[in-house]
Amino acid sequence: MPISTAGSRTDPSHASGRRAAGFTLIELAIVVLLISLFTVISVPLFSQIGKGDLRGSARRLAGAMKYLYNEAALSGQEHRLVFNFAEHSYRAEILEIDGSLGELDDSTARATLKDGVSFSDISLPGRGTFTSGEVTVRIHPTGWLEETIIHLQDSNKNALTLRVNPLTGSSEIFAGYRAFQVN
């Protein structure tokens, strides 16, 4: 009489049928561990989203200042950067040889700060601190610009400070609102 193996544990079709019915405790624990790991890694990244806009605006502004500093030195013409508090923007101008002001025709000519980012104030030597209106920073072709302290803030009240070196046109970016004595 033949022996049937349909109900035995060694039958491969029976074992795979039982295996497909659910997950083991170890598999579930691994999935929960991976989800927890991804959460721990991603939550701090999402909390930095607004700060990225603030830092991005600061870097872009610092790059525009340095670019205009170099352009003034290369062209031999005075350049200006005009900040508009109401529009949260800035634009580049050039002092033409005939004494008229013209706008630059490149990508740095006009820029708007990223959403939620605004100017807190701008300090210039001998002229004071401005919190509204338009403020103009002159960049001389002799390799000098007015020392400029720019305070930016975002909608979450995070702040950054840009300090522009008058002899190099380079900017230092500091976290938070820093007050510098402007000479």
Side-chain angles (χ1 to χ4, degrees), residues 61 64-65 68 79-85 87-94 101-113 119 133-139:
L61 179 54
M65 293 287 283
L68 292 175
H79 285 61
R80 297 178 180 184
L81 195 59
V82 181
F83 299 95
N84 187 314
F85 280 86
E87 296 177 3
H88 313 293
S89 65
Y90 51 94
R91 69 181 184 277
E93 296 177 341
I94 185 169
L101 283 174
E103 284 196 21
L104 293 179
D105 296 331
D106 57 20
S107 62
T108 61
R110 287 191 171 274
T112 302
L113 299 175
F119 299 108
E134 283 194 349
V135 179
T136 302
V137 175
R138 298 171 55 203
I139 305 165

Side-chain angles (χ1 to χ4, degrees), residues 95-149:
L95 184 62
E96 301 290 350
I97 296 171
D98 64 1
S100 65
L101 283 174
E103 284 196 21
L104 293 179
D105 296 331
D106 57 20
S107 62
T108 61
R110 287 191 171 274
T112 302
L113 299 175
K114 293 186 178 188
D115 287 340
V117 178
S118 61
F119 299 108
S120 286
D121 61 58
I122 298 174
S123 298
L124 298 168
R127 292 175 41 196
T129 299
F130 302 88
T131 58
S132 63
E134 283 194 349
V135 179
T136 302
V137 175
R138 298 171 55 203
I139 305 165
H140 301 275
T142 57
W144 182 84
L145 64 95
E146 296 172 288
E147 181 179 8
T148 309
I149 309 296

Side-chain angles (χ1 to χ4, degrees), residues 18-98:
R18 201 175 97 199
R19 175 92 171 100
F23 298 103
T24 66
L25 187 57
I26 293 174
E27 291 169 331
L28 289 174
I30 290 173
V31 169
V32 169
L33 178 71
L34 289 174
I35 290 173
S36 301
L37 183 63
F38 292 138
T39 302
V40 166
I41 290 171
S42 63
V43 167
L45 294 176
F46 288 125
S47 68
Q48 298 292 323
I49 288 176
K51 291 181 183 176
D53 288 345
L54 187 61
R55 282 211 174 273
S57 291
R59 282 194 302 267
R60 186 172 180 191
L61 179 54
M65 293 287 283
K66 183 64 176 179
Y67 173 76
L68 292 175
Y69 178 86
N70 291 336
E71 281 297 305
L74 290 172
S75 69
Q77 293 175 279
E78 181 179 299
H79 285 61
R80 297 178 180 184
L81 195 59
V82 181
F83 299 95
N84 187 314
F85 280 86
E87 296 177 3
H88 313 293
S89 65
Y90 51 94
R91 69 181 184 277
E93 296 177 341
I94 185 169
L95 184 62
E96 301 290 350
I97 296 171
D98 64 1

Side-chain angles (χ1 to χ4, degrees), residues 2-19:
I3 299 176
S4 170
T5 59
S8 77
R9 292 182 182 248
T10 58
D11 182 14
S13 64
H14 180 66
S16 65
R18 201 175 97 199
R19 175 92 171 100

